[in-house]
Amino acid sequence: MKLKSLLLVGGALLTGTAATAGGFQVNLAGQKNVGMGGVGVGLALDHAAMFYNPGALAMIRQNGVQVGANAALARISYVQSGGGTQRELQHNVVTPFNLYASFGPAEGKFRAGIAVYTPFGSKLEYASGWEGRYSLTQIDLQSIFVQPTISYALTDKISVGAGLVVLAYGAVNLQKDIPLPSSNGSIELDGKAEHKLGYNAGIYFKPTDNVSLGFSYRSKVDAHVKSGDVSFNNISSSFGSRFTATKFDVTLPLPATFSFGVGVTPNDKVTIGLDANYVQWSKYQTLNFAFSGNNGQGGTSGVDGQVGGANFSSSKRSYQDALTFRLGGQYKVSDALALRAGVGYDFSPVKDGYVTPETPDADRVLLSAGASYDVGEHFGVDASFLFEDFKKRSQTQRDLITNGTTDRVAGTYKTFIFVPGLGLHYNF
């Protein structure tokens, strides 16, 4: 590879990296909701209403604490454009969790609570030597949000609520290979996000004993990593002056979400929910990295903040707003046992020709099931299982050239995700 083309590739090293995508939003905030396809905006199921619709929290008449955890197992395959070896990701397990506690007077109109959950996250590790290794080899994105919440019942039929959404913890680790004439080097970016604030608000309306409606809004939060660490491996001294950076800054938008839901309870045993979520992914147009610092690899002639000969990179994302539709139901077999099932369709925000390895996103079908069993008056166990089937997603080199997105690879991705979950609740 000639030096000129090498440095051009080096300059694009980070343009293909991101810790995000449509697939990085995680809707696993309550085990009962997951078992019903993720519905909950128009229902007052349990204390997870703090996430789905804070306005419904005032209609939960019991004090209580509940916890839940999931194990998300992604199976992603890739075949390069024109054919070749099918690459499989290593099978990492991601464990989103949720915790809720709410309290209020039994016959009062107020209810307050605290929620802890993980609405965004991703972890992928591609096979060694795969064709897109210069775009990405590994990614690990983590986020934990804390939401203090208050809800008030204006009447017996309508209630409102709001919570302060705090990005309490955020972390990202990205790794990729660097093409060099005699061998591959590699780069790793590792950083923690600053604390950020947003909010979540909602309204819940029950016009009849059998029908309920809900609307909620979750604001956008910009996750900003400042002075994250940059490290290089296996960079020869002859190219050291092109790879001197030690720090990076990047901002990742965590988009706003509008949700509308309808609940129907034809009798005491059956509950049905229908939700629509509209996510403002169009706020995510580019991913920009700024580099700084000097590791001394370039000697006295080295320029500060160099990654492939540049101290800034920008990668096109051009996301579009996207909708998700969900339908779920619950059947109470007895006072102790409830069974659930759900289905949904999630439209990808990623346009054709813009798919990246960190989020090989596509339109997907969601299928879920769940159950709860109450052991005595106060304590119960909730179980859920979610299956997501992504449509095949292909892009050619011509697509990438046309869109100016050659910082990623052409080929076909296919993804399945399996998510078992388990929760416990205690009401009093």
Side-chain angles (χ1 to χ4, degrees):
M1 181 180 292
K2 294 181 179 179
L3 178 60
K4 182 178 179 180
S5 58
L6 169 67
L7 297 181
L8 287 173
V9 173
L13 277 175
L14 294 178
T15 61
T17 64
T20 99
F24 81 93
Q25 188 173 43
V26 181
N27 285 297
L28 300 170
Q31 305 315 127
K32 292 178 183 176
N33 305 85
V34 173
M36 297 172 66
V39 300
V41 181
L43 300 172
L45 286 176
D46 60 14
H47 309 285
M50 281 181 267
F51 174 85
Y52 292 95
N53 181 0
L57 181 64
M59 298 299 183
I60 307 297
R61 296 304 183 189
Q62 290 181 302
N63 296 332
V65 177
Q66 65 185 66
V67 297
N70 302 275
L73 302 92
R75 297 290 183 267
I76 303 177
S77 62
Y78 166 83
V79 178
Q80 71 179 126
S81 185
T85 302
Q86 177 169 303
R87 305 290 189 180
E88 306 286 346
L89 264 72
Q90 296 192 28
H91 297 158
N92 292 308
V93 179
V94 182
T95 55
F97 66 90
N98 55 81
L99 166 65
Y100 301 95
S102 80
F103 308 91
E107 301 301 327
K109 295 184 176 182
F110 284 100
R111 182 157 295 276
I114 186 78
V116 182
Y117 47 76
T118 54
F120 298 95
S122 177
K123 186 173 184 178
L124 300 175
E125 184 175 353
Y126 283 87
S128 177
W130 85 290
E131 291 78 2
R133 58 190 179 277
Y134 303 128
S135 296
L136 183 75
T137 54
Q138 295 184 42
I139 179 173
D140 188 0
L141 169 68
Q142 302 174 26
S143 71
I144 299 175
F145 282 72
V146 177
Q147 180 186 319
T149 306
I150 190 165
S151 185
Y152 182 75
L154 300 172
T155 70
D156 291 339
K157 294 182 179 296
I158 186 168
S159 57
V160 296
L164 189 64
V165 176
V166 183
L167 176 57
Y169 176 81
V172 60
N173 181 278
L174 306 173
Q175 299 178 41
K176 65 197 318 184
D177 287 349
I178 298 172
L180 296 172
S182 58
S183 63
N184 284 332
S186 64
I187 182 172
E188 179 176 358
L189 307 181
D190 187 86
K192 300 289 190 299
E194 298 177 332
H195 301 308
K196 292 285 185 176
L197 297 179
Y199 64 93
N200 184 15
I203 184 169
Y204 177 83
F205 178 48
K206 193 174 177 63
T208 73
D209 291 340
N210 305 110
V211 177
S212 55
L213 307 172
F215 173 79
S216 69
Y217 173 75
R218 176 177 298 278
S219 72
K220 172 175 174 271
V221 173
D222 285 329
H224 179 56
V225 177
K226 184 178 181 180
S227 295
D229 295 323
V230 179
S231 59
F232 301 101
N233 290 298
N234 200 31
I235 302 295
S236 61
S237 57
S238 57
F239 293 102
S241 62
R242 299 286 180 172
F243 299 94
T244 61
T246 60
K247 298 293 180 182
F248 74 94
D249 287 11
V250 66
T251 298
L252 179 68
L254 308 179
T257 302
F258 299 85
S259 297
F260 175 74
V262 179
V264 180
T265 52
N267 54 58
D268 291 341
K269 291 183 176 294
V270 177
T271 300
I272 300 171
L274 172 65
D275 278 14
N277 313 117
Y278 180 78
V279 185
Q280 287 188 313
W281 284 111
S282 60
K283 301 296 182 183
Y284 188 33
Q285 290 298 301
T286 59
L287 182 66
N288 301 318
F289 287 87
F291 305 107
S292 60
N294 195 319
N295 56 21
Q297 289 189 147
T300 56
S301 62
V303 178
D304 289 357
Q306 295 290 289
V307 174
N311 56 21
F312 180 82
S313 74
S314 181
S315 176
K316 292 182 179 179
R317 291 297 185 265
S318 300
Y319 276 27
Q320 57 190 353
D321 295 342
L323 277 165
T324 302
F325 296 100
R326 307 173 189 276
L327 174 65
Q330 169 182 275
Y331 179 73
K332 296 195 69 172
V333 180
S334 67
D335 289 341
L337 177 63
L339 302 179
R340 304 182 181 94
V343 63
Y345 194 88
D346 192 350
F347 292 91
S348 172
V350 183
K351 300 176 185 175
D352 292 342
Y354 288 85
V355 178
T356 59
E358 69 269 17
T359 309
D361 204 28
D363 293 351
R364 68 189 83 170
V365 175
L366 318 173
L367 300 171
S368 72
S372 288
Y373 188 80
D374 290 335
V375 183
E377 182 180 356
H378 301 291
F379 178 72
V381 180
D382 308 304
S384 65
F385 184 82
L386 173 65
F387 170 70
E388 299 188 11
D389 180 6
F390 290 56
K391 294 175 65 176
K392 276 188 177 181
R393 197 71 192 267
S394 299
Q395 58 191 9
T396 66
Q397 191 63 29
R398 180 181 294 275
D399 295 331
L400 303 183
I401 292 172
T402 300
N403 296 326
T405 53
T406 53
D407 53 359
R408 57 213 76 181
V409 291
T412 299
Y413 296 91
K414 175 62 180 176
T415 302
F416 300 99
I417 299 179
F418 307 86
V419 191
L422 187 65
L424 304 173
H425 64 263
Y426 183 82
N427 295 321
F428 55 94

